[in-house]
Amino acid sequence: MIVRPHSILLDAEALSALAQDERSMQAWATFAKRSDSVIYASCVTLAEVTDGTARDVAVRRAVKAVRLIDVHPDIGYRAGQLRAIAIASRRKQRDLTVDSVVAATALTLPLPVVVLTSDPEDLRFLLAGSDVQTEII
């Protein structure tokens, strides 16, 4: 585990885990509180974890403990660059748009930064060479 991160960014799976009060996220939330760290999420992740049903109540409750980051033009342009680099260097093509936005968001946060995810492969690829770390929840 990373020692005293300042910025903890949740991807969609991590935000869902927080909303469902999963043990792995309880530990990170406690850690954030004890270390005065800030938990963030990109607004784009809301599109992945909400669907307009009653399930959204838990997400809305969880988001109260998270600082949401808007996707402003700088993040959008950086995400496009990250996505283009990833597409050019991979044989297996898939849509990395949302992961690129999450990665670009992570690059704007105060260091040290850790991104929490259940599937770190794409985020680690997108953030290669940066000081941002990824952790599996």
Side-chain angles (χ1 to χ4, degrees):
M1 177 154 326
I2 296 171
V3 177
R4 299 182 64 83
H6 179 80
S7 303
I8 301 169
L9 181 63
L10 310 181
D11 77 347
E13 293 92 355
L15 184 55
S16 287
L18 182 65
Q20 295 166 11
D21 208 22
E22 291 182 12
R23 175 176 265 142
S24 60
M25 284 308 303
Q26 289 173 2
W28 277 101
T30 299
F31 177 76
K33 197 176 287 187
R34 288 182 180 165
S35 65
D36 292 326
S37 296
V38 179
I39 300 176
Y40 297 91
S42 171
C43 285
V44 75
T45 59
L46 295 176
E48 287 190 295
V49 299
T50 60
D51 57 12
T53 65
R55 174 181 109 91
D56 292 357
V57 172
V59 174
R60 289 176 185 270
R61 184 176 54 249
V63 165
K64 291 178 182 177
V66 172
R67 189 173 298 170
L68 291 175
I69 304 294
D70 290 330
V71 181
H72 55 74
D74 290 341
I75 289 175
Y77 291 129
R78 182 69 174 134
Q81 292 170 342
L82 292 171
R83 187 178 51 79
I85 291 167
I87 288 170
S89 62
R90 278 195 157 179
R91 283 186 257 171
K92 184 176 166 184
Q93 299 298 319
R94 63 177 160 208
D95 187 6
L96 295 175
T97 303
V98 173
D99 282 342
S100 296
V101 172
V102 171
T105 301
L107 294 171
T108 68
L109 298 176
L111 292 173
V113 179
V114 61
V115 180
L116 301 182
T117 181
S118 65
D119 183 14
E121 181 184 345
D122 291 333
L123 285 168
R124 285 183 179 154
F125 183 76
L126 290 163
L127 291 165
S130 76
D131 291 328
V132 177
Q133 297 184 325
T134 57
E135 290 284 332
I136 298 173
I137 55 159

